[in-house]
């Protein structure tokens, strides 16, 4: 007697989605300095997984990727929404070397500059919104959250967490957004293989990491800064609000802002939000 059911064209095993799993992703990322990959079809937060992995000894370059996140997070306890099948949610383990250790706030812009370059290569008008967003046509296409793993007062490692909206179905409902959002496919007007994009992004990130402390990196970042020479408002929890014009970034990664009085202030990457004035 024959098999009673039509054979599916693609067999989806538990823990895999549309043919993607840890082995397949590892082979798609071959050649990059990534010692080990963990792929999940769903997870709370890839950053949590990567932070725990650091405590368990994850080496520099280890990578966590998930198709969906159920408690993805942004800064200040905000939520980052990763819906299945249409987004990238990735966390990269960094074990900073001695020189990088002095410049930890640069890891978020490192990811932003790398992603900007890759999306710009597709022909999109991409900007980096200080300190941690990537915008296309002034809409948010990606958010970045860099976190540290501590052992007492000793830094064990950093996690660069990056969420990118690839398909239109990645977008959260508008009432859950503080800022207009978009996706790569909506902007491109054609489908995009998110794992090819991931490969190109990570490749660019590793290249820029080599130049992280050079003037070339700051120039690239500053050149593509959103709201450059435009009036903005900087808000921070429980602290002064600044209105001013964006002048650029300084070598520590601080935003250079010109106040209406003409005075230039440098605002540290911290719990601050930049909004168009
Ligand atoms: C961020 O925070 O933009 C950082 C997001 C980092 C997400 C990655 S995904 C992989 C890794 N694992 C994690 O758990 N997190 C990282 P923030 O600047 O605070 O912006 C958060 C705000 O973005 C929310 O309050 C929403 O308004 C908006 N938002 C949430 N999901 C979004 C989405 N998919 N697309 C666009 N905007 C979104």
């Amino acid at each position: 007697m024959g098999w009673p059911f039509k054979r599916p064209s693609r067999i989806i095993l538990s823990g895999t989605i549309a043919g993607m799993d840890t082995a397949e992703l590892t082979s798609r990322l071959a050649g990059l300095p990534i010692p080990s990959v963990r792929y999940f079809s769903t997870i709370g937060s890839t950053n949590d997984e990567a932070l725990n992995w650091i405590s368990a000894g994850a080496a520099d370059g280890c990578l966590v990727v998930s198709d969906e996140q159920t408690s993805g997070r942004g800064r200040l306890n905000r939520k980052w929404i990763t819906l299945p099948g249409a987004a990238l949610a990735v966390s990269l383990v960094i074990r900073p070397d001695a020189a990088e250790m002095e410049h930890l706030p640069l890891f978020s812009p490192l990811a932003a500059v790398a992603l900007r370059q890759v999306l710009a290569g597709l022909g999109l008008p991409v900007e980096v919104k200080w300190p941690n967003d990537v915008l296309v046509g002034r809409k948010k296409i990606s958010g970045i959250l860099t976190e540290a793993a501590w052992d007492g007062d000793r830094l064990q490692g950093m996690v660069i967490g990056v969420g990118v909206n690839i398909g239109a179905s990645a977008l959260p409902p508008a009432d859950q957004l503080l800022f207009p959002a978009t996706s790569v496919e909506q902007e491109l007007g054609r489908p995009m293989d998110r794992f090819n994009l991931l490969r190109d992004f990570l490749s660019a990130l590793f290249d820029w990491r080599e130049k992280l402390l050079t003037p070339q990196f700051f120039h690239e970042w500053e050149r593509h800064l959103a709201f450059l020479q435009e009036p903005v408002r900087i808000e921070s929890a429980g602290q002064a609000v600044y209105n001013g014009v964006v002048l650029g970034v300084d070598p520590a990664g601080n935003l250079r802002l010109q106040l209406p009085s003409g005075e230039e202030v440098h605002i540290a990457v911290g719990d601050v939000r930049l909004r168009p004035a």
Side-chain angles (χ1 to χ4, degrees):
M1 210 172 99
W3 181 247
F5 304 110
K6 186 169 174 278
R7 190 170 187 276
S9 58
R10 178 174 242 156
I11 298 170
I12 298 181
L13 302 169
S14 158
T16 69
I17 185 154
M20 187 47 68
D21 59 19
T22 293
E24 170 67 12
L25 187 56
T26 302
S27 95
R28 297 274 289 265
L29 301 177
L32 296 175
I34 298 176
S36 182
V37 174
R38 291 183 180 174
Y39 178 80
F40 298 84
S41 52
T42 186
I43 199 170
S45 157
T46 55
N47 268 24
D48 285 340
E49 176 71 18
L51 288 166
N52 290 334
W53 197 2
I54 287 179
S55 303
D60 186 80
C62 282
L63 187 75
V64 180
V65 178
S66 186
D67 185 52
E68 178 189 33
Q69 293 188 114
T70 52
S71 24
R73 58 172 180 273
R75 297 176 305 147
L76 302 172
N77 285 328
R78 290 193 287 256
K79 286 189 177 143
W80 181 262
I81 295 168
T82 306
L83 299 169
L88 282 172
V90 302
S91 296
L92 178 68
V93 169
I94 299 281
R95 298 278 193 180
D97 64 22
E100 291 171 340
M101 202 65 101
E102 305 300 316
H103 300 275
L104 299 178
L106 296 183
F107 283 114
S108 284
L110 167 65
V113 162
L115 184 63
R116 191 219 69 85
Q117 186 180 51
V118 170
L119 295 178
L122 298 171
L124 300 180
V126 205
E127 295 172 302
V128 175
K129 176 166 164 280
W130 183 91
N132 69 325
D133 291 344
V134 178
L135 308 181
V136 171
R138 291 279 154 104
K139 294 179 182 166
K140 183 159 167 167
I141 207 161
S142 167
I144 297 163
L145 177 68
T146 300
E147 295 181 295
W150 296 94
D151 180 11
D153 58 1
R154 198 181 66 85
L155 182 82
Q156 289 187 302
M158 305 286 289
V159 169
I160 307 179
V162 184
V164 189
N165 299 324
I166 305 289
S169 62
L171 294 200
D175 64 357
Q176 295 188 32
L177 295 174
L178 294 166
F179 199 84
T182 190
S183 67
V184 175
E185 292 185 350
Q186 280 169 294
E187 297 297 327
L188 275 182
R190 63 177 166 85
M192 163 59 52
D193 181 322
R194 56 196 158 132
F195 299 105
N196 283 350
L197 187 81
L198 175 60
R199 189 192 160 79
D200 292 347
F201 160 59
L202 291 170
S203 173
L205 187 153
F206 290 121
D207 284 350
W208 277 111
R209 186 181 180 189
E210 303 284 311
K211 297 177 268 186
L212 188 59
L213 307 178
T214 67
Q216 198 188 342
F217 173 76
F218 287 95
H219 180 64
E220 175 79 1
W221 181 16
E222 200 164 69
R223 197 154 72 93
H224 299 293
L225 214 49
F227 309 108
L228 200 57
Q229 299 299 335
E230 292 178 35
V232 297
R233 180 180 170 83
I234 306 284
E235 299 166 0
S236 60
Q239 284 179 33
V241 169
Y242 291 102
N243 289 296
V245 170
V246 173
L247 297 178
V249 287
D250 72 14
N254 300 320
L255 186 76
R256 294 165 45 226
L257 196 71
Q258 185 165 46
L259 303 182
S261 64
E263 186 196 348
E264 182 176 324
V265 290
H266 292 209
I267 297 170
V269 180
D271 295 339
V272 295
R273 289 201 297 160
L274 179 152
R275 292 282 173 268

